[in-house]
Amino acid sequence: MELAGVATVAGFVLGTLCAVGLRSGGGMARLCSIYVEAIRNTPLLVQIFLVYFGLASLGLRLSAFVVAVLALTINVAAYTAEIMRAGLDSIPPGQIEAGECLGLSRVQLYWHVLLLPAMERVYPALASQFVLLMLASSVCSQISAEEMTAVANHVQSETFRPFEAFIVLAGLYIVLSVLMRAVFWLLGLALFPRRRRLGTAL
Amino acid sequence: MTDKDPVVELRDVHKSFGALKVLDGVSLTVARGEVAVIIGRSGSGKSTALRCIDRLEVIDDGEIVVCGHRLTDAKLNLRALRQDVGIVFQSYNLFPHLTVAQNITLAPVSVKRVSRAEALETAQAVLRQVGLQDKADAYPEQLSGGQQQRAAIARSLAMKPKVMLFDEVTSALDPELTAEVLRVMEDLAASGMTMVVVTHEMSFARRIADQLVFMHGGRVRETGPGDILLDPQTPELRQFMSHELHAATR
Ligand SMILES: Nc1ncnc2c1ncn2[C@@H]1O[C@H](COP(=O)(O)OP(=O)(O)OP(=O)(O)O)[C@@H](O)[C@H]1O
Ligand SMILES: [Mg+2]
């Protein structure tokens, strides 16, 4: 749970920075695009093992939780980068020009002019991606991170009633998904006051 | 600075897009407090000339000096230039997620670092100037085209620019809304603002221009006071004027 939460926030920040990098042209853009393609074309489980064993071989001994957060963040950031880039690309160039003509710096332009409208345009895609991330966090049981699937596994090996244990688990995930969507809906209302005021749907 | 000091000066400016020569040796001087109006057929390079003044396009050859900034200078401080120059486009380009007041205060607060209270005060003043004092809390999409364009003018004015550039700011508006925007521009000209205006509104051009510039094929073909429209010296301007007259009476 916190696993998915932390990874969502960190992944969004990292992914958005990466989206800006993708649009910047030059070496930075190439680097970002290699990262995004590498992540989007390999399975999450493999990425988790890579981070897990990679850090271990560097002599870093981190808790399974930290490793899981890292791996999930690296994963979701790549998808977020693609989504946010599409959002940023959909902003009319006249908006950027208007900002530049007012003397805004690059950073101010992204922060005040581009970020929110871009997010608004791809908000449903972003929300889905983060729900997917939450569901995918179940595979972190593979590196014995204490999360719901691991617990269910534990329960079924104690009670020898795997079907019931996993049915309960599935129910829990559904509840969590619905909750998460509700949270994103509320967050959307807070982030996009214009939508709230004009009553347009997201 | 005396009144005769040029605020905008273009000397033999050349600009091409690929093989297409768009500006072919344009020279133009706009003194402080002066209103220069650029007219000409579609494609004659009016917008490009204006965009070069705010360094939205980089020129190939020649020289441009705006408010003391030499635009061809390698050490040009672009953001300082942009603070001295206000520009308004045909598409208003208001930021849709911000209210009118937020649109107006954004740059003064984040670029000029004035306090929020002071920026709000300025916003109210410029909104009064364009007749939108009761629209501060509206979002752009709640406004008519004419109101949006006036809000965009207000947003530029809030930066207290030394020169304002207008690129066909009424072309997307119907006659009634056009009139309200033109009135704002006339007030602004009367208040002593230095302006460079590209427009297709001929009677407005004649009224407001201290200097009228007729561009043709990337060159300044004819220039003089507004009244040159009544008595064109070149066949190109004569033809352009008769065309505009036909368009107006149609
Ligand atoms: N960024 C660009 N890339 C390529 N060609 C361009 C670009 N901007 C303008 N042009 C071309 O340059 C020529 C002059 O354009 P410009 O916009 O300056 O004309 P204009 O006088 O403003 O015309 P209008 O009255 O239609 O606005 C046109 O042929 C146009 O297609
Ligand atoms: Mg034009």
Side-chain angles (χ1 to χ4, degrees):
Chain A
M1 264 304 277
E2 314 97 87
L3 197 63
V6 176
T8 294
V9 174
F12 175 72
V13 173
L14 184 64
T16 303
L17 288 174
C18 192
V20 173
L22 281 171
R23 284 163 51 85
S24 68
M28 194 61 208
R30 191 148 332 123
L31 208 69
C32 290
S33 116
I34 289 172
Y35 160 64
V36 169
E37 288 311 313
I39 296 298
R40 297 204 316 155
N41 292 298
T42 49
L44 173 60
L45 188 57
V46 173
Q47 293 162 17
I48 292 173
F49 281 141
L50 274 177
V51 173
Y52 189 58
F53 294 116
L55 288 177
S57 73
L58 287 175
L60 279 170
R61 299 210 52 80
L62 299 170
S63 73
F65 178 79
V66 173
V67 171
V69 164
L70 268 178
L72 287 179
T73 300
I74 290 172
N75 177 269
V76 79
Y79 289 93
T80 304
E82 255 322 290
I83 296 172
M84 280 304 286
R85 183 177 62 155
L88 289 167
D89 284 351
S90 75
I91 305 289
Q95 293 277 310
I96 299 174
E97 214 157 65
E100 283 174 350
C101 289
L102 288 167
L104 298 179
S105 68
R106 205 93 218 125
V107 173
Q108 290 169 336
L109 196 62
Y110 269 107
W111 184 248
H112 294 294
V113 176
L114 295 175
L115 185 62
L116 271 184
M119 245 178 103
E120 190 174 335
R121 279 160 195 245
V122 296
Y123 196 67
L126 274 180
S128 300
Q129 188 60 51
F130 294 136
V131 171
L132 277 178
L133 165 81
M134 189 273 292
L135 298 177
S137 68
S138 61
V139 303
C140 290
S141 57
Q142 293 296 316
I143 55 168
S144 61
E146 274 300 321
E147 54 76 61
M148 280 186 357
T149 304
V151 172
N153 233 330
H154 192 62
V155 168
Q156 65 99 5
S157 67
E158 297 266 294
T159 60
F160 303 104
R161 302 183 73 167
F163 183 72
E164 285 85 343
F166 282 109
I167 267 288
V168 170
L169 180 64
L172 278 176
Y173 272 118
I174 289 173
V175 170
L176 271 182
S177 295
V178 170
L179 268 179
M180 245 179 114
R181 285 187 188 280
V183 167
F184 277 117
W185 183 74
L186 288 172
L187 188 64
L189 287 186
L191 279 173
F192 314 122
R194 172 174 62 112
R195 292 288 172 113
R196 194 170 62 228
R197 219 159 80 223
L198 304 184
T200 25
L202 268 173
Chain B
M1 230 189 224
T2 71
D3 266 3
K4 284 284 149 228
D5 277 335
V7 172
V8 176
E9 195 166 13
L10 282 74
R11 269 192 296 267
D12 195 28
V13 169
H14 292 258
K15 169 78 191 171
S16 301
F17 289 114
L20 182 68
K21 185 116 204 176
V22 179
L23 297 182
D24 190 11
V26 171
S27 297
L28 171 70
T29 304
V30 186
R32 187 134 71 112
E34 193 181 23
V35 177
V37 177
I38 304 177
I39 58 170
R41 273 180 25 199
S42 180
S44 56
K46 308 180 296 293
S47 296
T48 306
L50 212 60
R51 291 171 61 82
C52 287
I53 296 175
D54 206 9
R55 247 279 313 237
L56 286 164
E57 307 287 353
V58 180
I59 62 175
D60 302 332
D61 202 6
E63 188 166 50
I64 302 182
V65 181
V66 180
C67 304
H69 306 279
R70 194 171 300 274
L71 268 55
T72 43
D73 210 328
K75 298 195 301 288
L76 169 72
N77 183 344
L78 198 54
R79 292 183 64 200
L81 168 75
R82 299 273 164 83
Q83 288 180 51
D84 286 341
V85 180
I87 186 164
V88 186
F89 303 96
Q90 178 180 339
S91 53
Y92 336 111
N93 295 331
L94 291 168
F95 306 131
H97 60 300
L98 301 179
T99 64
V100 169
Q102 288 168 336
N103 261 280
I104 296 175
T105 53
L106 173 61
V109 169
S110 49
V111 179
K112 286 194 151 176
R113 306 261 167 227
V114 309
S115 72
R116 199 163 288 278
E118 192 187 333
L120 263 175
E121 224 165 87
T122 309
Q124 262 143 21
V126 290
L127 280 174
R128 221 171 301 123
Q129 202 176 340
V130 301
L132 286 179
Q133 51 276 31
D134 52 340
K135 296 291 183 194
D137 294 321
Y139 283 97
E141 65 197 282
Q142 296 172 302
L143 303 180
S144 75
Q147 291 171 331
Q148 289 191 47
Q149 192 56 288
R150 286 184 283 149
I153 294 173
R155 179 174 68 178
S156 277
L157 289 176
M159 288 296 279
K160 306 199 161 75
K162 299 194 175 104
V163 53
M164 285 285 292
L165 314 176
F166 296 89
D167 191 3
E168 293 192 37
V169 293
T170 59
S171 294
L173 304 175
D174 64 36
E176 201 175 321
L177 301 183
T178 295
E180 66 187 34
V181 173
L182 295 185
R183 202 167 318 120
V184 165
M185 290 168 68
E186 279 180 78
D187 289 347
L188 193 59
S191 77
M193 176 64 80
T194 309
M195 294 168 43
V196 184
V197 181
V198 172
T199 184
H200 279 293
E201 301 286 331
M202 285 308 135
S203 59
F204 168 71
R206 223 194 95 207
R207 258 197 330 271
I208 200 177
D210 297 312
Q211 179 186 184
L212 208 123
V213 179
F214 171 61
M215 285 188 65
H216 186 83
R219 294 163 188 263
V220 174
R221 192 69 188 85
E222 200 168 328
T223 178
D227 285 343
I228 61 170
L229 291 183
L230 300 179
D231 181 23
Q233 298 301 304
T234 57
E236 290 87 354
L237 181 54
R238 202 168 304 132
Q239 195 194 351
F240 175 76
M241 283 312 291
S242 74
H243 190 88
E244 286 294 319
L245 266 177
H246 282 130
T249 51
R250 227 185 350 249

